[in-house]
Structure formats: structure tokens, C-alpha cells
Amino acid sequence: MEKLAIFGGTPVRETPIAYGKQCVEQDDIDAVVETLRSDFITCGPKVDALEEKLCEVTGARYAVVVSNGTAALHLAALAAGFGEGDEVIVSSVTFAASSNCVLYCGAKPVFADIRPDTYNIDPESIEKLITPRTKGIVAVDFTGQAVEHDAIREICKKHNLILIEDAAHAIGTKYKGRPVGSIADMTCFSFHPVKTVTSGEGGAITTNDEQLYHRLMRLRTHGITRNPEEMVHPTDALWYNEQVELGYNYRMTEFQAALLLSQLKKLPKFSARRKEIVEKYDKAFSEMPEIFVQREIPESDTTRHLYILRLNLDKLTCDRRQFFDALYAENTRPQVHYLPVYWHSYYEKLGYQKGICPNAEKYYEEVMSIPLYYSLTDADTDDVIRAVKKVVEYYRK
Ligand SMILES: *Cc1c(COP(=O)(O)O)cnc(C)c1O
């Protein structure tokens, strides 16, 4: 058996690979530079063109581009009307922003458990948490896999709930042939550099509902309107605009929009490469009884954002921490996605207790994300697989 690098052996590779990385090419850079030389550097023609492009990519009727994914979730939660006294059911395994947006509005997040094999929100768990105060659901397409829309739509219909889909991981994914972004009441995207396409910082909300669209547009710019029909004191004065509610400045710059427009042209190739890598990892790891491979539902045609390596701890002598550290020393640099949201100390202070989502908690103790991004070479993915094998063999029972 090979000596692990963490105990002084030679690492599988010399240079570290991170779990994620953006791909910015010369044409992306040119698009940004060209925009910086133009008349508009914020909220101009590039943002308009980007919104149009996002409608094309997602099949949604409307798109509202904002400064980041968290801003997208915040505005969606406000437009959904979440507020004091409302409960909103949220995925428990996700980035804190999915749930923080509910808190921003003064409503209460209620955490639903995940399925033990897909790691997505479990519709049966949602159903059990519904009370007369439940107003909506924030469902996350975890790792990029679409949530179980058919089951969730049934629940929403039955209990009159609004569905916000957090698709920060899922641009390019389809559910039963329909692109994510055209299915939920509102769908939120993030364009942070680690996601499949990036604008540096950036986000968007898509919707098919005209009223929600107008509300989101207004909330993006301070709650100010130029539409006389929305005003309390309408006038035909050309300079007049009116703040009719409390909004924010969540606008995106033109150069970010230019970058994202350029990136979106490459979504098909980014998506294809990610699928190729996932297939290769799945094949390698399904042969190892020490590793669980994430289950894909047949309805989801997934552009994967994260690859989750889940350990079968019954077959290993180590725990997740030891495995993580060993893999890290081999220069495959993993990350963990995610701590169950309510385990964060802030949520603990709000009164959430451990034990409410057993599948999520077990999941958290057994996982790490391994490198998955467009520019990983075949040699890189071979190294990742060799590193995982090396650690598995060392700790095999
Ligand atoms: C990245 C991410 C967000 C937040 O997006 P930002 O653009 O970083 O604000 C929200 N939810 C999930 C699931 C994410 O992965």
C-alpha cells in the first residue's frame, strides 16, 4: 500500500486542484473591455440583452438581472410576500443564503429533510411541515439536479404555496425537457465564479408572471417607479419618479452583463464537459464499495455544479475529517457542501436544534466535493480518481 502524502509519502500530483474554478477566456475579456469603453457602464443595453438571453436559455417569459444570487433570493422572497408570521419551508442542505432570504423578510424558515440518495429536498418531508402559516417553499436544485417538480407542484397547489427555486447550481439543467428557470413561480440564479457561468458577482430571477416581474424590477431599484400607473401622485412631468415601496440597489453593471453574455454562449460546452467529468467519476467510484454515487432522477437532465464524494463509513477505518485531510494532502483539494443550515451558530441562537433533519445530518458527516469545472483536463481527473483510490485503499477495512 502506498504511503499517504499526509504521512510523508509523495502526493499523487505536485500542484493542487481546487474543487471549482471559473473559465474566463480572451473573448470574455474583450467583451468586458469593449463595454468599459462604451457610453453606459451600468444598467444599459448589455443588461437588457442579458435579460433577453436569460429568457432564451431558461425558457422563462421574464428575467431580472441583479447584483448577486443572494440579492435574487432576497427580492424573490419579498415579491412572494413573505413576512412576519409566515413560515417558509427550505432545503436543509444548502448555502445559508437560501434560508437567509426568508429571515430578511421577517418570516421563519422551516427546514425540510433531504432524500438520502439524491440529496435534494424530500417532498414527503415538506408535506409533514405544512401548517396554516406556511406561505411558500425555497427548493434548491442541489449540485445542479432539478428538484422533484411534479411532487412539489402538487403540494403547492394543494396548500396554495408559492415556489421559489434556488437554481444557483442549476443553470443549463432541464426537468422533463423543460429548462430550469421556467418551472417555478420564481427561479433564482447565481453567477459567482465557482458556478457554471460567471459575471464575477451576479444573479438573476426568472418568472413567467408579469406582476411579479414588475415588482422585482421596482424592488431592484429602490422601490422607485417611472410608471404613472404605479404612482400615488402621477404627473406627466418628464423628470418625475416616485418611490412607492422600500427597495434596494441590486443592479448589475454593464461590464458584468457583458461578461455573462459572453459566458452564456459557452454554456453548451461548459455543460457538456461537466457531464463528461461526472460520467467518468461515477464510473470510477461506482466500482468502489467505500463510495456512494449520487442518484439522478430520470426527469432531470443535469448540468452538475458540484460532484459529491460520499463515504460509506461502514467500510472505512477513517472518518470524513481524516479522509478529507488525506485527500487534501494528495493535492486534490476538496470542500464540504454543506453544513445543515440550522447547525450554523446564528441559527442555533434563533432556537433551531440538532436532530430535526436526520438525513441531512448524516449526509453532512460523510461528504466532500471534489474538483469539477470546465477546464479540468483528463489528466487532472485521472489524478483525482487516483488520489481517491489511494486514500480509500489506505483506509479500507
Ligand atoms: C452561490 C449560492 C447562492 C448565493 O449566490 P451569491 O451569488 O454568492 O450571492 C445561493 N444559493 C446557493 C445554493 C448557492 O450555491
Side-chain angles (χ1 to χ4, degrees):
M1 195 182 328
E2 255 188 292
K3 193 169 177 185
L4 293 180
I6 198 170
F7 303 129
T10 312
V12 163
R13 56 182 283 138
E14 259 174 53
T15 51
I17 327 178
Y19 83 92
K21 187 179 163 187
Q22 72 273 18
C23 167
V24 174
E25 297 168 315
Q26 190 57 46
D27 56 339
D28 298 309
I29 296 168
D30 293 345
V32 171
V33 171
E34 186 199 309
T35 306
L36 283 170
R37 295 207 168 96
S38 74
D39 287 342
F40 293 95
I41 57 171
T42 192
C43 269
K46 293 289 179 195
V47 167
D48 294 342
L50 176 58
E51 289 176 342
E52 225 168 275
K53 177 73 182 171
L54 282 168
C55 286
E56 182 196 313
V57 169
T58 62
R61 218 166 287 159
Y62 307 100
V64 178
V65 161
V66 293
S67 44
N68 56 66
T70 305
L73 286 162
H74 184 189
L75 296 193
L78 285 170
F82 299 159
E84 208 73 46
D86 295 331
E87 294 176 0
V88 179
I89 297 171
V90 183
S91 301
S92 48
V93 172
T94 183
F95 184 56
S98 314
S99 154
N100 289 345
C101 69
V102 176
L103 294 177
Y104 293 159
C105 301
K108 183 185 170 196
V110 176
F111 293 99
D113 209 350
I114 57 167
R115 287 216 191 263
D117 53 359
T118 67
Y119 318 148
N120 258 339
I121 193 165
D122 182 348
E124 282 167 41
S125 172
I126 296 176
E127 191 92 62
K128 281 188 203 138
L129 294 169
I130 288 171
T131 74
R133 290 170 177 267
T134 309
K135 182 112 184 209
I137 301 172
V138 180
V140 181
D141 302 310
F142 183 63
T143 73
Q145 174 167 210
V147 292
E148 294 170 50
H149 276 289
D150 286 350
I152 294 173
R153 188 179 317 108
E154 280 303 306
I155 296 171
C156 287
K157 235 200 254 165
K158 189 165 146 201
H159 301 279
N160 195 24
L161 309 178
I162 188 157
L163 175 63
I164 297 175
E165 186 171 0
D166 180 346
H169 297 180
I171 193 147
T173 291
K174 292 184 176 130
Y175 179 85
K176 287 184 161 179
R178 257 173 95 177
V180 157
S182 61
I183 307 167
D185 294 303
M186 285 177 277
T187 307
C188 297
F189 294 95
S190 163
F191 307 116
H192 180 277
V194 87
K195 313 289 158 82
T196 300
V197 287
T198 186
S199 52
E201 297 279 357
I205 310 118
T206 57
T207 182
N208 289 329
D209 184 305
E210 191 180 353
Q211 271 180 318
L212 287 174
Y213 167 68
H214 289 301
R215 183 86 194 281
L216 290 165
M217 287 295 264
R218 200 167 72 189
L219 286 166
R220 176 175 76 178
T221 305
H222 309 283
I224 287 175
T225 182
R226 291 188 165 276
N227 178 358
E229 283 172 28
E230 293 179 10
M231 292 176 184
V232 177
H233 305 292
T235 117
D236 55 6
L238 287 177
W239 48 265
Y240 189 73
N241 58 58
E242 192 175 298
Q243 184 187 342
V244 294
E245 65 177 326
L246 188 61
Y248 300 83
N249 175 358
Y250 280 166
R251 294 186 301 258
M252 179 188 267
T253 66
E254 282 286 281
F255 40 99
Q256 287 172 306
L259 176 55
L260 189 54
L261 269 169
S262 177
Q263 290 261 302
L264 280 170
K265 284 190 216 154
K266 305 169 191 197
L267 180 57
K269 77 170 186 184
F270 288 172
S271 175
R273 178 63 183 150
R274 282 174 177 268
K275 283 180 183 175
E276 218 171 69
I277 296 169
V278 167
E279 208 171 300
K280 181 171 169 179
Y281 283 162
D282 277 354
K283 188 164 177 291
F285 301 137
S286 58
E287 286 162 12
M288 298 182 204
E290 296 81 3
I291 306 290
F292 292 118
V293 170
Q294 182 179 359
R295 183 170 76 86
E296 285 263 337
I297 57 169
E299 293 86 351
S300 181
D301 173 4
T302 306
T303 293
R304 199 82 78 79
H305 159 57
L306 294 174
Y307 191 92
I308 306 294
L309 190 77
R310 185 167 187 177
L311 306 177
N312 183 347
L313 292 175
D314 291 342
K315 300 204 179 291
L316 292 162
T317 58
C318 62
D319 61 14
R320 188 266 310 272
R321 172 71 194 267
Q322 289 167 307
F323 197 104
F324 183 105
D325 290 347
L327 197 58
Y328 191 94
E330 299 300 333
N331 280 330
T332 283
R333 299 277 163 93
Q335 184 50 268
V336 173
H337 301 94
Y338 296 92
L339 188 77
V341 176
Y342 59 89
W343 279 22
H344 284 289
S345 62
Y346 182 76
Y347 280 82
E348 194 180 19
K349 272 187 281 181
L350 294 178
Y352 292 91
Q353 287 180 352
K354 287 197 174 184
I356 54 181
C357 299
N359 294 341
E361 295 181 11
K362 183 165 191 315
Y363 164 89
Y364 170 66
E365 303 287 4
E366 299 175 350
V367 295
M368 65 203 72
S369 308
I370 58 170
L372 177 60
Y373 51 89
Y374 170 73
S375 55
L376 273 183
T377 64
D378 288 342
D380 292 334
T381 51
D382 285 341
D383 285 345
V384 170
I385 293 168
R386 275 202 295 143
V388 170
K389 265 195 181 142
K390 185 175 166 184
V391 179
V392 162
E393 274 162 23
Y394 189 87
Y395 287 117
R396 181 174 280 154
K397 259 189 190 162

